[in-house]
Amino acid sequence: MDSSETERQPATPAEEAVELVDWSPFGRVLPILAGSPGAGATSTAVAIADALQLAGCSVLLVDAGDPVRSGLGRAARADGPRRNAPGLAAGIRFSRRARAVLARLDVAETAVEPVLFPPPPYWHPGGGRSVDVTVVDIGHDIWRLATDPALGPGQWLRVGSPSPIPALVVRPTVPGLAHAEQVLARLAPWVRVAAVTPPTQLLVVGARRWPKGVAGTAGRRTSVLLSDAVFFPHSREVATHGITADVTPSSLRTQAEHLLRSWRVLPERTRRLGVRRQRRAGARESRDTG
């Protein structure tokens, strides 16, 4: 997988058909990938979305994972309307998470036909609504993700304008770094032909620094990302209850704010709306949805 012979292989016809995507309707697109199952991509993505809300941004939170494996099933107080997507089986459910719009894949339980992943335009809430930032919880299914970025959740990594800012979530362990190296290697052929934007940021969940002896095991692709890694501490609340409609803990949002400022998605100083005000807005808009 890491051999120079593999990287010099000629591009396939699918790789050669590269088109730039106009991401402007979605604002800045922040795809959050998981290096391995349970790495913490969902909680990190939601913490980023909550930090953006509290800074006054208009946020679209996209759950690109399969519904049966989604960690965002309880992220809104009530389900919103459904929009049909290509094919009869799949649709997108738009709900409210405080001031953010939560878009989740919705698949009919009786579906017998293959489910086609909806292209990004279907995920926009529409109705003249402007979106400042789109946070995409891609999750972990790297083999499906990197098979063809023109299909499946990998579409959110497509090169375009403004350029997406992907981040790779890992656990602070030796296996965690090994999985991250595999993800970057799997995406490498598509990065080589400028079809996708590679993750250039590691988000480490469950620690405040690298444990002794872990960082030295990083592969050549992962090692260049170690120095700028952002650490999200362990949250007992999230680990116990998962993601709910309540705002994520401040310990996670504080790290998310630092990350967003380093990406220049947020300015150095932002006016916070306040957690209580966000909760009141979420409760009110949930009643309106219902």
Side-chain angles (χ1 to χ4, degrees):
M1 185 178 296
D2 293 337
S3 67
S4 58
E5 289 77 9
T6 299
E7 293 194 352
R8 287 198 297 266
Q9 288 179 356
T12 66
E15 290 176 315
E16 293 175 348
V18 174
E19 296 182 4
L20 296 181
V21 177
D22 178 15
W23 290 117
S24 57
F26 295 93
R28 296 310 304 267
V29 177
L30 312 180
I32 309 300
L33 296 81
S36 59
T42 295
S43 60
T44 305
V46 176
I48 292 172
D50 286 352
L52 287 163
Q53 287 194 72
L54 292 172
C57 295
S58 173
V59 182
L60 172 63
L61 176 59
V62 170
D63 180 6
D66 294 332
V68 294
R69 295 188 292 175
S70 171
L72 295 177
R74 299 188 299 132
R77 300 188 186 280
D79 287 337
R82 185 183 191 272
R83 173 187 296 166
N84 291 331
L88 300 177
I92 298 173
R93 182 78 61 180
F94 292 94
S95 306
R96 281 285 190 176
R97 177 178 171 79
R99 292 176 175 270
V101 175
L102 171 62
R104 300 178 60 237
L105 189 63
D106 186 280
V107 179
E109 295 183 359
T110 57
V112 294
E113 65 179 42
V115 176
L116 301 177
F117 187 84
Y122 284 87
W123 295 83
H124 195 281
R129 182 184 301 277
S130 63
V131 177
D132 297 324
V133 186
T134 299
V135 183
V136 186
D137 176 18
I138 291 184
H140 178 79
D141 192 349
I142 190 58
W143 301 106
R144 174 188 175 194
L145 180 70
T147 298
D148 188 340
L151 302 171
Q155 295 175 81
W156 290 102
L157 299 174
R158 294 285 300 278
V159 170
S161 179
S163 180
I165 310 176
L168 180 58
V169 179
V170 300
R171 288 291 183 182
T173 64
V174 172
L177 286 182
H179 290 146
E181 186 72 16
Q182 293 171 9
V183 170
L184 296 176
R186 180 68 172 162
L187 291 174
W190 297 106
V191 174
R192 175 167 53 87
V193 296
V196 303
T197 307
T200 57
Q201 181 80 61
L202 280 185
L203 308 181
V204 187
V205 173
R208 298 185 181 275
R209 63 183 64 86
W210 290 111
K212 184 178 180 180
V214 172
T217 66
R220 63 183 180 87
R221 293 182 177 88
T222 313
S223 59
V224 299
L225 307 180
L226 295 181
S227 61
D228 294 328
V230 175
F231 292 83
F232 284 74
H234 174 75
S235 170
R236 182 179 299 179
E237 178 182 346
V238 173
T240 302
H241 301 286
I243 296 297
T244 67
D246 293 331
V247 66
T248 44
S250 60
S251 60
L252 301 182
R253 288 185 283 106
T254 297
Q255 293 304 101
E257 289 178 8
H258 293 326
L259 178 68
L260 292 165
R261 291 193 181 100
S262 71
W263 286 343
R264 298 187 178 182
V265 175
L266 285 181
E268 285 300 318
R269 294 184 178 181
T270 55
R271 178 181 61 85
R272 296 188 181 186
L273 295 179
V275 173
R276 290 185 179 180
R277 182 176 173 185
Q278 185 195 40
R279 287 172 174 168
R280 289 197 299 268
R284 181 173 61 253
E285 289 167 351
S286 295
R287 290 195 299 268
D288 293 343
T289 302

